[in-house]
C-alpha cells in the first residue's frame, strides 16, 4: 500500500463498495438541486445510509450544507459507513464551532 501522510486519501480504488467518481458526482448534484436545506438533509441521509464513503467524499457532502448542526448530524450518520475511519479527523475543518468538533470527536470515541 501507499504510505505517507495521505495514504489512500484521494484514491478510492483500494476500497470495496465505495461509489465511482461519476456516481458520486451525480449523488452530489441530486443533493445540491434540493432548494430547502431540510430536503437536502433528507436526500443526503438516504444516500448516506445506503452507501459506503471515503472521508473525502463525506467532506464534499458536508460542504453542501450551510447549517452547522446539519453538518454534524450527517458527519455522525456517515461515520459508520466510512471506509477510512482513521482519516475522519480531517473533517474537523468543515466545522466552524469548537463545540461541534468536540461533539464529533466524542461520537467517534464512543462509536461501537
Amino acid at each position: 500500500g501507499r504510505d505517507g501522510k495521505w495514504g489512500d486519501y484521494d484514491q478510492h480504488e483500494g476500497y470495496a463498495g465505495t461509489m465511482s467518481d461519476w456516481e458520486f458526482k451525480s449523488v452530489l448534484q441530486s443533493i445540491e438541486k434540493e432548494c430547502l436545506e431540510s430536503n437536502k438533509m433528507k436526500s443526503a441521509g438516504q444516500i448516506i445510509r445506503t452507501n459506503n464513503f471515503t472521508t473525502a467524499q463525506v467532506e464534499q457532502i458536508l460542504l453542501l450544507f450551510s447549517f452547522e448542526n446539519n453538518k454534524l448530524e450527517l458527519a455522525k450518520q456517515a461515520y459508520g459507513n466510512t471506509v477510512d475511519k482513521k482519516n475522519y479527523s480531517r473533517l474537523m475543518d468543515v466545522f466552524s464551532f469548537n463545540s461541534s468538533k468536540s461533539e464529533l470527536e466524542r461520537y467517534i470515541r464512543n462509536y461501537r
Side-chain angles (χ1 to χ4, degrees), residues 5-6 9 55-56 58-59 62 75 79 82 84-95 101 104-105 108:
K5 183 168 162 245
W6 293 100
Y9 189 55
T55 300
V58 174
E59 181 178 17
L62 297 185
Y79 184 69
T82 298
D84 55 338
K85 291 186 173 64
K86 64 182 190 307
N87 293 324
Y88 221 65
S89 58
R90 298 210 173 104
L91 290 182
M92 296 305 167
D93 296 346
V94 171
F95 298 101
K101 297 177 191 185
L104 185 57
E105 277 165 358
I108 292 171

Side-chain angles (χ1 to χ4, degrees), residues 12-52:
H12 59 227
E13 290 82 18
Y15 297 116
T18 53
M19 291 185 212
S20 68
D21 280 346
W22 67 265
E23 282 176 305
F24 184 67
K25 277 196 183 72
S26 72
V27 158
L28 280 183
Q29 283 163 355
S30 71
I31 298 171
E32 217 168 359
K33 69 167 190 274
E34 300 287 353
C35 312
L36 297 172
E37 181 115 351
S38 57
N39 291 347
K40 280 187 183 169
M41 276 300 280
K42 274 198 205 81
S43 88
Q46 195 84 44
I47 287 159
I48 282 172
R49 277 191 298 278
T50 51
N51 293 282
N52 292 331

Side-chain angles (χ1 to χ4, degrees), residues 79 107-112:
Y79 184 69
Y107 180 83
I108 292 171
R109 246 199 331 272
N110 300 325
Y111 183 82
R112 290 289 171 270

